[in-house]
Structures are given as C-alpha cells and as structure tokens.
Amino acid sequence: QVQLVESGGDSVQAGGSLRLSCAASRSTAIRNCMAWFRQAPGKEREGVAAISTGSGRIYYADSVRNRFTIFQDNAKITLLLQMNVLKPEDTAVYYCAASKDDCYSGSWRSQDIYNSWGQGTQVTVSS
C-alpha cells in the first residue's frame, strides 16, 4: 500500500493561492490514478481533481476548473495541487488519494477506486 502525506494547507484570504503537496512513499506499488478530494464541514467528501499517471488524462470538478491545476513532479513521486483565485467555498480538509486502477471520466470521483489515502491538510479561505 502506498503511504501518502499531504502538506501545504494554510489560511489565506479570498483571491489568494496555495500549493498542496502529496508525498508518496518510494513504494513499487502501482499508482495508476492519483487524486485530490476535499471535505468541508457538514458536507460529504468530494473529488477535486485526478490524474491518470500513465496516460496523463486529467479531470477536474467544475467548481475548480480553470483555478486549480493538478500535476506531478518529474519523478512522479509527489502529487501537487496548485490552487489559485481561492474562494471561501474552497475551505475544506484536502485529501490525497491513490488507486491501483486507472481512472476515467466516469470513475475518478468514486472514492471506492482509491486504496490509499493521506491524513488530510486544512485549507481555510477567508472573505
């Protein structure tokens, strides 16, 4: 199982930017799909963005499209999420997830396909 550790969460004002990182263990475990999810207080966890590590396909939730960018470092060990033009509604705990299975447009939001999760990092956006 892949060990995932998120970092980069902080408190910022609306309009600001943050970059979240997810460090994966140097495991040989296959990570065909990696994603960011978030959970706001009183709400269900939702998919934010995902990347198919083999094909390079990228998926975004409509609420973050054109503001957030998901990418990996060259070694494909660290997953990153660049968040720009942050809004108060982006306030949530952000989780990194990895799947042995590949992800597609119809599956990446399903938490069931992910077998490894990080502990989460808090992002707070004030107005």
Side-chain angles (χ1 to χ4, degrees), residues 15-49:
S17 299
L18 283 176
R19 177 174 290 188
L20 303 183
S21 297
C22 172
S25 62
R26 290 183 178 271
S27 169
T28 56
I30 297 173
R31 305 186 296 273
N32 283 317
C33 180
M34 296 195 72
W36 288 97
F37 282 74
R38 68 184 181 186
Q39 187 166 21
K43 295 187 177 181
E44 295 185 353
R45 190 176 299 187
E46 62 174 359
V48 174

Coordinates of all heavy atoms in Angstrom, one line a residue, residues 15-49:
G15 N -9.0 35.1 -3.1 CA -8.2 35.6 -4.2 C -6.8 35.1 -4.1 O -6.0 35.3 -5.1
G16 N -6.4 34.6 -3.0 CA -5.0 34.1 -2.8 C -4.8 32.7 -3.5 O -5.6 32.1 -4.1
S17 N -3.5 32.3 -3.3 CA -3.1 31.0 -3.9 C -2.4 30.1 -2.8 O -1.9 30.6 -1.9 CB -2.1 31.2 -5.0 OG -2.7 32.0 -6.0
L18 N -2.5 28.8 -3.0 CA -1.8 27.8 -2.2 C -1.4 26.7 -3.1 O -2.0 26.4 -4.2 CB -2.7 27.3 -1.1 CG -3.0 28.1 0.1 CD1 -4.0 27.4 1.0 CD2 -1.7 28.4 0.9
R19 N -0.3 26.0 -2.7 CA 0.1 24.8 -3.4 C 0.1 23.6 -2.4 O 0.9 23.7 -1.4 CB 1.4 24.9 -4.1 CG 1.9 23.6 -4.8 CD 3.2 23.8 -5.6 NE 3.0 24.7 -6.7 CZ 3.9 24.9 -7.7 NH1 5.1 24.3 -7.6 NH2 3.6 25.6 -8.7
L20 N -0.7 22.6 -2.6 CA -0.7 21.4 -1.8 C 0.3 20.4 -2.4 O 0.4 20.3 -3.6 CB -2.1 20.9 -1.7 CG -3.2 21.8 -1.1 CD1 -4.5 21.0 -1.0 CD2 -2.7 22.4 0.2
S21 N 0.9 19.6 -1.5 CA 1.8 18.6 -2.0 C 1.4 17.3 -1.3 O 0.9 17.3 -0.2 CB 3.2 18.9 -1.6 OG 3.7 20.0 -2.2
C22 N 1.6 16.2 -2.0 CA 1.3 14.9 -1.5 C 2.5 14.0 -1.8 O 2.7 13.7 -3.0 CB 0.0 14.3 -2.1 SG -0.3 12.6 -1.7
A23 N 3.2 13.6 -0.8 CA 4.4 12.8 -0.9 C 4.0 11.4 -0.8 O 3.4 10.9 0.2 CB 5.4 13.2 0.1
A24 N 4.4 10.6 -1.8 CA 4.1 9.2 -1.8 C 5.4 8.4 -1.4 O 6.5 8.8 -1.8 CB 3.6 8.7 -3.2
S25 N 5.2 7.3 -0.7 CA 6.4 6.5 -0.3 C 7.0 5.9 -1.6 O 6.4 5.8 -2.6 CB 5.9 5.4 0.6 OG 5.0 4.5 0.0
R26 N 8.3 5.6 -1.4 CA 9.1 5.1 -2.6 C 8.7 3.6 -2.7 O 9.6 2.7 -2.7 CB 10.5 5.3 -2.4 CG 11.0 6.7 -2.5 CD 12.5 6.8 -2.4 NE 12.9 8.2 -2.6 CZ 13.2 8.8 -3.7 NH1 13.1 8.0 -4.8 NH2 13.6 10.0 -3.8
S27 N 7.4 3.4 -2.8 CA 7.0 2.0 -2.9 C 6.9 1.6 -4.4 O 6.6 2.5 -5.2 CB 5.6 1.8 -2.2 OG 5.0 0.6 -2.5
T28 N 7.0 0.4 -4.7 CA 6.8 -0.1 -6.0 C 5.4 -0.3 -6.3 O 5.0 -0.8 -7.4 CB 7.6 -1.3 -6.3 OG1 7.3 -2.3 -5.3 CG2 9.1 -1.1 -6.2
A29 N 4.5 -0.1 -5.3 CA 3.1 -0.2 -5.6 C 2.6 0.6 -6.7 O 3.0 1.8 -6.9 CB 2.3 0.1 -4.3
I30 N 1.8 0.1 -7.5 CA 1.3 0.8 -8.7 C 0.3 1.8 -8.3 O -0.5 1.6 -7.5 CB 0.7 -0.2 -9.7 CG1 1.7 -1.3 -10.2 CG2 0.1 0.5 -10.9 CD1 1.1 -2.4 -11.0
R31 N 0.5 3.0 -8.9 CA -0.4 4.1 -8.7 C -0.9 4.6 -10.0 O -0.3 5.5 -10.6 CB 0.3 5.3 -7.9 CG 0.9 4.8 -6.6 CD 1.5 6.0 -5.8 NE 2.6 6.7 -6.5 CZ 3.8 6.4 -6.4 NH1 4.2 5.3 -5.7 NH2 4.8 7.0 -7.1
N32 N -1.9 4.0 -10.5 CA -2.4 4.3 -11.9 C -3.2 5.6 -11.9 O -3.3 6.2 -13.0 CB -3.2 3.2 -12.5 CG -2.3 2.1 -13.0 OD1 -1.2 2.4 -13.6 ND2 -2.6 0.9 -12.7
C33 N -3.7 5.9 -10.8 CA -4.5 7.2 -10.7 C -4.3 7.8 -9.4 O -4.3 7.1 -8.3 CB -6.0 6.8 -10.9 SG -7.1 8.3 -10.8
M34 N -4.1 9.1 -9.4 CA -4.0 9.9 -8.1 C -4.9 11.1 -8.2 O -5.1 11.6 -9.2 CB -2.5 10.3 -7.9 CG -1.5 9.2 -7.7 SD 0.0 9.6 -7.1 CE -0.4 10.0 -5.4
A35 N -5.4 11.4 -7.0 CA -6.4 12.4 -7.0 C -6.4 13.3 -5.7 O -5.8 12.9 -4.7 CB -7.8 11.8 -7.1
W36 N -7.1 14.4 -5.8 CA -7.3 15.2 -4.6 C -8.8 15.2 -4.3 O -9.6 15.4 -5.3 CB -6.8 16.6 -4.8 CG -5.4 16.8 -4.8 CD1 -4.5 16.8 -5.9 CD2 -4.5 16.9 -3.7 NE1 -3.2 17.0 -5.5 CE2 -3.2 17.0 -4.1 CE3 -4.7 17.0 -2.3 CZ2 -2.1 17.2 -3.3 CZ3 -3.7 17.1 -1.4 CH2 -2.4 17.2 -1.9
F37 N -9.2 15.0 -3.1 CA -10.5 15.2 -2.6 C -10.6 16.2 -1.5 O -9.5 16.6 -1.0 CB -11.0 13.8 -2.0 CG -11.4 12.8 -3.1 CD1 -10.5 12.1 -3.8 CD2 -12.8 12.5 -3.3 CE1 -10.8 11.2 -4.7 CE2 -13.1 11.6 -4.3 CZ -12.2 10.9 -5.0
R38 N -11.7 16.7 -1.2 CA -11.9 17.6 -0.1 C -13.2 17.4 0.6 O -14.1 16.9 0.1 CB -11.8 19.1 -0.6 CG -12.9 19.5 -1.4 CD -12.7 21.0 -2.0 NE -13.8 21.5 -2.8 CZ -13.8 22.6 -3.5 NH1 -12.7 23.4 -3.4 NH2 -14.8 23.0 -4.2
Q39 N -13.2 17.8 1.9 CA -14.4 17.7 2.7 C -14.5 18.9 3.5 O -13.7 19.2 4.4 CB -14.3 16.4 3.6 CG -15.6 16.2 4.3 CD -15.7 14.8 4.9 OE1 -14.6 14.1 5.1 NE2 -16.9 14.3 5.2
A40 N -15.6 19.6 3.3 CA -15.9 20.8 4.0 C -16.8 20.4 5.2 O -17.4 19.4 5.2 CB -16.7 21.8 3.2
P41 N -16.8 21.2 6.3 CA -17.6 20.9 7.5 C -19.1 20.7 7.1 O -19.7 21.5 6.4 CB -17.5 22.1 8.4 CG -16.2 22.7 7.9 CD -16.1 22.5 6.5
G42 N -19.6 19.5 7.6 CA -21.0 19.2 7.3 C -21.3 18.7 5.9 O -22.5 18.5 5.6
K43 N -20.3 18.5 5.1 CA -20.5 18.1 3.7 C -19.8 16.8 3.5 O -18.9 16.4 4.2 CB -20.1 19.2 2.8 CG -20.9 20.5 2.8 CD -20.5 21.4 1.7 CE -21.4 22.7 1.7 NZ -21.0 23.6 0.6
E44 N -20.2 16.1 2.4 CA -19.6 14.9 2.0 C -18.3 15.2 1.3 O -18.1 16.3 0.7 CB -20.5 14.1 1.1 CG -21.8 13.6 1.8 CD -22.6 12.7 0.9 OE1 -22.2 12.5 -0.3 OE2 -23.6 12.1 1.3
R45 N -17.4 14.2 1.4 CA -16.1 14.3 0.7 C -16.4 14.3 -0.8 O -17.2 13.5 -1.3 CB -15.2 13.2 1.0 CG -13.8 13.3 0.5 CD -12.9 12.2 1.0 NE -12.8 12.2 2.5 CZ -12.0 11.3 3.1 NH1 -11.2 10.5 2.5 NH2 -12.0 11.3 4.5
E46 N -15.7 15.2 -1.5 CA -15.9 15.3 -3.0 C -14.6 15.4 -3.7 O -13.6 15.8 -3.2 CB -16.7 16.6 -3.3 CG -16.0 17.9 -2.9 CD -16.7 19.1 -3.4 OE1 -17.8 19.0 -4.0 OE2 -16.2 20.3 -3.1
G47 N -14.7 14.9 -5.0 CA -13.5 14.9 -5.8 C -13.2 16.3 -6.3 O -14.1 17.0 -6.7
V48 N -11.9 16.6 -6.3 CA -11.5 17.9 -6.8 C -10.8 17.8 -8.1 O -11.1 18.5 -9.1 CB -10.5 18.6 -5.7 CG1 -9.9 19.9 -6.3 CG2 -11.2 18.8 -4.4
A49 N -9.8 16.9 -8.2 CA -9.1 16.7 -9.4 C -8.4 15.3 -9.4 O -8.1 14.8 -8.3 CB -8.1 17.8 -9.7

